[in-house]
Amino acid sequence: MLGGGLRLWHGVADGGGLGAGREEGRAGGRAGGREEGRAEGRAEGRAEGRAEGREGGWAEGREEGWAEGREGGWAGDWKEGWAEQDLAEEDRAEDWAVLSPEERWRARRFMRPAETGHYVHAHAEVRRIMAGLLDCPPRAIRFGREPCPGCGDAAHGPPSIIEPTATLRFNHSRSEAAWLLAVALDGRRVGADIEQIRPLNAFTGLLDGCLTPAERAYVVDTADPVRRRRRFYHCWVRKEAVLKAVGTGLAGGLIRLDVRPYEPGTALVRADGPGAGSFLVHDIPLGRGLAAAVAEESA
């Protein structure tokens, strides 16, 4: 069961980045109403700058703005993509209008218009939800970061609210068109992760580079490759949610953190090292094609 001060929202943008998607608020484990939205198509790109793992020197993700699968001359696609994106910005004017200059700059770095739309919509929705909680206009919110508990650098610490003054904490995640927002109204540390479940390259290497022995045993305890993939993502989103709550992100050490995936629903997890603490990690069921988890600091 979710803690009394924890609320969640999630959604899916449509192919152009519009659409409220599904929004769900929970307080004390109670659902607070839902808005249903369906994506008519999935984006072909990958999320901004996300590495699906950085242990042992491998990186499964793609850098922001890198167009996947383009071999040979892609200049024509690039120019056409920007022409489409200029038109799409007009269609998404209400979303673009609430973003900060930095968010708009980041959005324009994507090569694929669909991915830009997903980023813009997700960040605009986060601003609107936070504005409702903070009683201010969405564009008036100034986001920042707390110092990383590992190195002290605020460039990659957990997200924070600089203006207006607030005691709540939040974390959000996006994977292609899907997004997830977790807010701890009581100010406890919180982390969230959502992932599209898709085939993985070098699967054995990921198991060895990311999972503890107990987690690896859980993943391979089935001969079905589809179940193995889902079990890996189950471990992954729990790990990233906890490490985002800790404040170090993936640098906090994937292979040193055991998230007890064999305990369904909610598990109490201990994170050692910088930002050490105990966290309740909750599985968030969002459908067969998604894996999601939220971690909240244990009282």
Side-chain angles (χ1 to χ4, degrees):
M1 178 179 290
L2 302 180
L6 183 63
R7 295 187 66 189
L8 305 181
W9 291 262
H10 61 90
V12 179
D14 67 18
L18 298 174
R22 183 190 309 168
E23 181 179 300
E24 179 177 346
R26 293 179 184 171
R30 294 174 300 170
R34 296 175 181 172
E35 295 179 9
E36 294 291 338
R38 290 287 185 261
E40 293 183 359
R42 288 186 176 172
E44 299 171 303
R46 295 293 186 258
E48 38 166 321
R50 174 182 293 282
E52 298 230 356
R54 296 188 177 100
E55 292 285 323
W58 58 268
E60 201 48 39
R62 303 294 187 271
E63 289 190 5
E64 227 174 57
W66 184 5
E68 290 185 67
R70 286 198 171 105
E71 298 183 7
W74 44 263
D77 291 340
W78 184 84
K79 292 176 183 178
E80 182 180 349
W82 274 108
E84 293 174 4
Q85 185 163 300
D86 290 341
L87 294 174
E89 288 189 24
E90 296 179 8
D91 296 336
R92 294 189 295 268
E94 292 184 1
D95 283 346
W96 281 90
V98 301
L99 302 185
S100 69
E102 181 182 1
E103 287 169 320
R104 291 196 292 271
W105 175 80
R106 286 183 176 274
R108 291 189 176 100
R109 291 186 66 189
F110 293 106
M111 295 291 290
R112 295 176 183 267
E115 193 67 13
T116 294
H118 296 155
Y119 175 95
V120 169
H121 175 70
H123 281 250
E125 286 294 278
V126 167
R127 282 186 169 272
R128 292 182 182 112
I129 293 166
M130 298 298 289
L133 297 173
L134 298 170
D135 193 24
C136 69
R139 195 171 180 181
I141 302 173
R142 184 182 169 201
F143 292 117
R145 290 191 177 275
E146 300 176 23
C148 169
C151 66
D153 189 349
H156 59 262
S160 66
I161 298 171
I162 299 175
E163 293 178 1
T165 302
T167 57
L168 59 79
R169 281 177 163 163
F170 74 100
N171 202 267
H172 66 99
S173 176
R174 182 180 66 84
S175 181
E176 299 185 14
W179 56 268
L180 173 65
L181 170 67
V183 177
L185 300 175
D186 54 11
R188 283 188 284 178
R189 290 184 290 174
V190 63
D193 190 47
I194 185 170
E195 300 288 345
Q196 298 276 352
I197 297 176
R198 54 183 178 261
L200 297 167
N201 297 324
F203 186 68
T204 301
L206 296 181
L207 296 183
D208 295 338
C210 300
L211 306 186
T212 66
E215 292 167 340
R216 289 197 296 272
Y218 163 79
V219 171
V220 302
D221 189 29
T222 174
D224 185 343
V226 175
R227 287 189 176 183
R228 285 191 175 192
R229 187 188 311 152
R230 288 190 62 83
R231 287 186 176 194
F232 173 81
Y233 274 103
H234 176 52
C235 295
W236 178 270
V237 294
R238 280 191 173 194
K239 282 175 178 283
E240 189 159 355
V242 171
L243 291 173
K244 289 173 74 175
V246 168
T248 56
L250 297 179
L254 290 166
I255 203 167
R256 296 192 300 273
L257 175 67
D258 193 307
V259 292
R260 309 178 71 83
Y262 39 81
E263 295 182 10
T266 297
L268 181 63
V269 172
R270 174 71 188 177
D272 296 320
S278 295
F279 298 86
L280 288 170
V281 59
H282 309 281
D283 300 328
I284 309 299
L286 298 180
R288 290 186 61 83
L290 294 169
V294 169
E296 58 177 323
E297 191 171 18
S298 179

